[in-house]
């Protein structure tokens, strides 16, 4: 196997992760993600290009701003490293389908970004969830999960997956609100699961919901058992759905076999 595309993907993925850090900070604040350029969150001085190399610059500067010497969160290089590894893994998983792999890398970036935003604000920006939905439909013609179908059929399968994801999550949200008398699933989560269905079909939407619910339940039990939350406290569900969606890009499990 030629490892060169994977290595290149790691490098560019980490650079993409640097942009995601900007996106995560500015999008909820309705600020431009283009201007101004990267700057220190403490002294607001511009960051020089040689101090903006993903992961490496943070390590070289020992996690501090070169000018004001105040600490820079380790979250920044963590996102860069995570995105670099994800991009490399995606191109390793789909070595012969670079258009699809590129699209999936962008989708994973959006999923990482919306996870961090949801974790901080309990809201998922429409720009990311609806953008993912549109990308999933647009790339249905090169989607390897729909490889046995002609382009019109692949587009239909993608659209059907979005409908199934929307219907399942909407039903859960409505039923949960009826029984619990409170919001059980946010509308941002509903749109996110519709987007997942557009990328991985109806089976993938079902798998994502099951994986996300399982992981979210474990986290919820942990919070309750450690006294960090009450049963009535809401938790961000987007990160767990996003984790399930990223898993789908590597493997579709047979959990949703009735929807095949």
């Amino acid at each position: 196997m030629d490892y060169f595309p994977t290595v290149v993907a790691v490098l560019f993925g980490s650079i993409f992760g640097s942009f995601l850090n900007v996106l995560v900070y500015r999008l909820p604040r309705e600020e431009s993600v283009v201007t101004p350029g990267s700057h220190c969150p403490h002294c607001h001085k511009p960051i020089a290009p040689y101090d903006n190399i993903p992961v490496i610059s943070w390590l070289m500067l020992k996690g501090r701003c070169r000018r004001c010497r105040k600490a820079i969160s380790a979250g920044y290089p963590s996102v860069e490293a995570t995105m670099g590894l994800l991009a490399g893994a995606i191109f390793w998983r789909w070595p012969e389908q670079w258009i699809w792999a590129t699209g999936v890398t962008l989708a994973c970036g959006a999923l990482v970004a919306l996870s961090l935003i949801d974790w901080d604000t309990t809201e998922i920006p429409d720009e990311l969830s609806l953008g993912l939905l549109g990308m999933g439909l647009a790339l249905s013609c090169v989607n390897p999960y729909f490889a046995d179908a002609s382009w019109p059929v692949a587009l239909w399968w993608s659209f059907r997956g979005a409908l199934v994801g929307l219907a399942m999550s909407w039903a859960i949200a409505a039923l949960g609100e009826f029984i619990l008398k409170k919001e059980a699933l946010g509308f941002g989560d509903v749109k996110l699961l519709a987007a997942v269905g557009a990328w991985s079909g109806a089976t993938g939407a079902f798998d994502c919901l099951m994986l996300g619910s399982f992981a979210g339940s474990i986290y919820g039990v942990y919070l309750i058992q450690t006294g960090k939350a009450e049963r009535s406290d809401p938790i961000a569900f987007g990160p767990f759905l996003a984790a399930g969606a990223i898993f789908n890009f590597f493997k579709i499990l047979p959990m949703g076999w009735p929807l095949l």
Side-chain angles (χ1 to χ4, degrees), residues 6 9-11 13-14 78-92 250:
T6 300
V10 171
L11 295 176
S14 62
S78 298
V79 171
E80 294 164 353
T82 297
M83 201 59 235
L85 293 174
L86 268 177
I90 290 164
F91 274 81
W92 176 82
F250 295 91

Side-chain angles (χ1 to χ4, degrees), residues 9 93 104 144 203 207 241 250:
R93 172 66 178 86
V104 168
T203 304
D207 286 357
L241 286 178
F250 295 91

Side-chain angles (χ1 to χ4, degrees), residues 113-138:
L114 67 83
S115 296
L116 294 173
I117 292 173
D118 191 28
W119 199 270
D120 288 338
T121 68
T122 66
E123 293 184 1
I124 297 176
D126 286 346
E127 293 90 339
L128 297 178
S129 58
L130 297 183
L132 277 170
L133 175 60
M135 284 182 61
L137 293 170

Side-chain angles (χ1 to χ4, degrees), residues 23-254:
L23 186 71
V24 168
Y25 181 83
R26 298 186 187 183
L27 189 58
R29 296 169 174 80
E30 298 183 352
E31 299 175 0
S32 171
V33 298
V34 179
T35 57
S38 298
H39 54 271
C40 172
H42 303 294
C43 66
H44 303 290
K45 298 294 184 181
I47 297 177
Y50 50 79
D51 285 337
N52 209 19
I53 303 172
V55 182
I56 295 176
S57 291
W58 188 88
L59 293 173
M60 294 293 291
L61 293 170
K62 298 181 180 179
R64 295 185 177 276
C65 171
R66 182 182 293 275
R67 298 195 180 187
C68 68
R69 302 308 299 166
K70 289 188 177 180
I72 303 297
S73 171
Y76 292 107
S78 298
V79 171
E80 294 164 353
T82 297
M83 201 59 235
L85 293 174
L86 268 177
I90 290 164
F91 274 81
W92 176 82
R93 172 66 178 86
W94 306 104
E96 305 298 329
Q97 295 163 296
W98 64 270
I99 296 177
W100 168 252
T102 300
V104 168
T105 299
L106 295 175
C108 284
L111 289 166
V112 169
L114 67 83
S115 296
L116 294 173
I117 292 173
D118 191 28
W119 199 270
D120 288 338
T121 68
T122 66
E123 293 184 1
I124 297 176
D126 286 346
E127 293 90 339
L128 297 178
S129 58
L130 297 183
L132 277 170
L133 175 60
M135 284 182 61
L137 293 170
L139 290 177
S140 60
C141 58
V142 295
N143 190 325
Y145 293 139
F146 308 148
D148 295 333
S150 62
W151 180 78
V153 175
L155 179 60
W156 160 243
W157 285 353
S158 177
F159 183 69
R160 182 185 64 178
L163 290 179
V164 169
L166 180 68
M168 285 193 304
S169 51
W170 191 294
I172 292 173
L175 184 63
E177 189 168 351
F178 175 76
I179 295 175
L180 302 175
K181 306 301 180 184
K182 65 176 185 178
E183 185 179 87
L185 198 66
F187 195 46
D189 299 320
V190 172
K191 288 179 279 189
L192 175 56
L193 198 59
V196 173
W199 283 89
S200 52
T203 304
F206 182 84
D207 286 357
C208 178
L209 182 59
M210 293 300 101
L211 291 170
S213 299
F214 178 70
S217 297
I218 292 177
Y219 180 68
V221 169
Y222 163 76
L223 291 179
I224 294 171
Q225 291 298 319
T226 56
K228 296 180 180 180
E230 302 291 334
R231 289 183 179 273
S232 58
D233 292 341
I235 64 171
F237 191 41
F240 302 103
L241 286 178
I246 292 174
F247 184 90
N248 280 349
F249 288 134
F250 295 91
K251 179 71 175 178
I252 299 290
L253 297 176

